[in-house]
Amino acid sequence: MKLSFATLVLGTILLTSFFIQPTIAGSVGIVFLEAFCDSKCNFRCSKAGRKDRCLKYCGICCADCNCVPSGTFGNKDECPCYRDKKNSKGGPKCP
């Protein structure tokens, strides 16, 4: 009885460790990406007329592409994914 209980506890701990580690690593990556995107998009949208809209779409594009072009306008060739995203009307999605 003690052996089967010990085996059950050990097996549970072992299985749990496989699921907890990737979750922790994933959440650290998400936090880093959010901080990266926030800082890049804040600079990118600093001169925008509609800053809230610019930050929204820049954040979406940055999360998808993992990059934001330098500067406050243009330079989209630095990030082809960012450059090539289109809105529903066929225009550029990313500011």
Side-chain angles (χ1 to χ4, degrees):
M1 184 73 166
K2 289 182 181 181
L3 182 61
S4 63
F5 180 73
T7 305
L8 178 65
V9 169
L10 185 61
T12 302
I13 292 171
L14 187 63
L15 285 174
T16 304
S17 69
F18 284 118
F19 293 110
I20 290 176
Q21 189 66 25
T23 303
I24 293 171
S27 64
V28 169
I30 290 169
V31 170
F32 175 76
L33 182 61
E34 285 178 1
F36 171 79
C37 290
D38 286 348
S39 66
K40 292 286 192 175
C41 288
N42 277 328
F43 181 73
R44 180 91 180 158
C45 297
S46 63
K47 295 183 180 179
R50 296 186 180 194
K51 190 170 184 175
D52 56 336
R53 183 181 286 181
C54 181
L55 288 171
K56 176 184 175 182
Y57 289 109
C58 181
I60 291 169
C61 295
C62 179
D64 289 346
C65 299
N66 297 325
C67 65
V68 175
S70 62
T72 57
F73 184 79
N75 303 327
K76 289 187 177 181
D77 288 336
E78 295 174 2
C79 185
C81 171
Y82 192 96
R83 176 194 65 211
D84 296 338
K85 284 199 160 301
K86 303 292 181 198
N87 63 20
S88 60
K89 296 178 183 177
K93 180 173 189 161
C94 307

